[in-house]
Amino acid sequence: MTNAIPHYRPDWVPLAGHHLRLSGVHFDTIRVQGVRGEQVAADLVEAADGDAGPVVCEVTGFRWMYFLLAPGEVRKHDWPLGVQRFGERGSRTVTYIGIPALDGNTWPLRWYSEPTATTPFVEAGRLRTVLEVAGL
């Protein structure tokens, strides 16, 4: 019998499928499109020694990468023009982000990097550094 390590599942992560969650309440979001987003995600995971925090990937269409930060973090930092930010308080825009379950069929979303007990959110400073190195 093997002892599988259980997933860390914040309450905003659904048990099955995928659900929409309000950015700015459960988390703030930085979004980067396509190949650039994939490279930023890969560099972030490498910089974090594999524990980067929650990054959601769209597997179709524009293939957005969603970097989920702690609530309130987006407004604390200056972000480059090549990214979109969601969750700023006082913004007139309300944005829902699709969040996949940790297991099962979650198409067209998947986890590029899951939240963990040690890194429940992407660390904003680390993401900023990776974005700068990527030239964004």
Side-chain angles (χ1 to χ4, degrees), residues 113-131:
S113 174
E114 293 181 6
T116 65
T118 55
T119 312
F121 297 103
V122 170
E123 199 277 305
R126 180 177 286 144
L127 179 58
R128 281 282 303 129
T129 299
V130 169
L131 288 166

Side-chain angles (χ1 to χ4, degrees), residues 31-100:
R31 181 169 87 165
V32 183
Q33 185 178 2
V35 174
R36 290 187 321 172
E38 292 169 4
Q39 187 60 55
V40 169
D43 293 348
L44 181 68
V45 169
E46 183 179 336
D49 292 327
D51 191 15
V55 180
V56 174
C57 174
E58 284 183 355
V59 297
T60 63
F62 291 110
R63 295 175 33 212
W64 292 104
M65 298 295 283
Y66 297 86
F67 301 86
L68 308 182
L69 287 62
E73 284 297 306
V74 163
R75 71 175 177 268
K76 293 180 183 177
H77 301 272
D78 291 325
W79 299 98
L81 295 175
V83 305
Q84 294 179 337
R85 54 192 184 275
F86 305 110
E88 295 176 280
R89 298 218 186 248
S91 172
R92 294 182 185 183
T93 304
V94 174
T95 305
Y96 288 88
I97 305 297
I99 301 297

Side-chain angles (χ1 to χ4, degrees), residues 13-29:
V13 173
L15 292 171
H18 51 80
H19 292 256
L20 295 176
R21 301 290 189 231
L22 184 59
S23 190
V25 173
H26 303 286
F27 45 78
D28 283 359
T29 308

